[in-house]
Amino acid sequence: AIAGFDVPVRRAIIMVSVLLLWRLRYLQLAHWTPWLIALCLVLLHDPLVVLAPGFWLSFAAVAVLFVVFASRLGGFSWWQFLVRGQWAAALGLLPFLIALALPVSVVGPLANMLAVPYVSLVTLPLALLSTLFMPIPELARIMFWLSAISLEWLWALLEWSVQHLAAWQGPHLPWWVRLLVFAGAVLLLLPQ
């Protein structure tokens, strides 16, 4: 609720809810079932959401991660999981970014590898602790301040990285070139 209910948040809530309901009933669940249910429910709620780039990018990112990580033998260490996930998301979303005429960030995967754990382990816990300590205003204010400072540091680092490696805005490509980019991304993401 704090993040708002944009498409990525609705997708995540629906997918997690479906997964938890299935797990509570001790049923096996195919990897794609929560994704498909979330897709259907989001489209039922707002069919015009297909006009928003966030819809395509959100669902495509999760689909790419499913293709890369689902049904793979052998475990990954945390750093392999992080690097492989960012590499796969960057490569898998490339055709969608090109098709939607959005800029392609070179530094995006590196920034995500830093920002996602940092926000998850530093900023978000401080923000949640600040709401927990609301009955003690001084402590809550300190937690809010620390959370804001952590975001300022992250923002400064991201701003610096964008200044040194700007996003690439490609020319409008013909449909067949976009199709080739999509096919190439799929081939690179599939298991060997």
Side-chain angles (χ1 to χ4, degrees), residues 7-27:
V7 172
V9 176
R10 283 185 273 165
R11 176 200 39 80
I13 289 171
I14 293 168
M15 289 180 71
V16 168
S17 300
V18 168
L19 185 65
L20 289 175
L21 287 172
W22 252 260
R23 295 286 186 214
L24 284 173
R25 298 185 66 210
Y26 299 105
L27 296 174

Side-chain angles (χ1 to χ4, degrees), residues 170-183:
H172 181 71
L173 300 171
W175 67 269
W176 60 272
V177 173
R178 288 184 269 171
L179 188 63
L180 285 174
V181 169
F182 182 78

Side-chain angles (χ1 to χ4, degrees), residues 18-47:
V18 168
L19 185 65
L20 289 175
L21 287 172
W22 252 260
R23 295 286 186 214
L24 284 173
R25 298 185 66 210
Y26 299 105
L27 296 174
Q28 282 290 68
L29 183 66
H31 295 297
W32 291 96
T33 303
W35 187 85
L36 290 169
I37 291 172
L39 180 68
C40 291
L41 290 177
V42 166
L43 288 174
L44 281 172
H45 178 262
D46 184 9

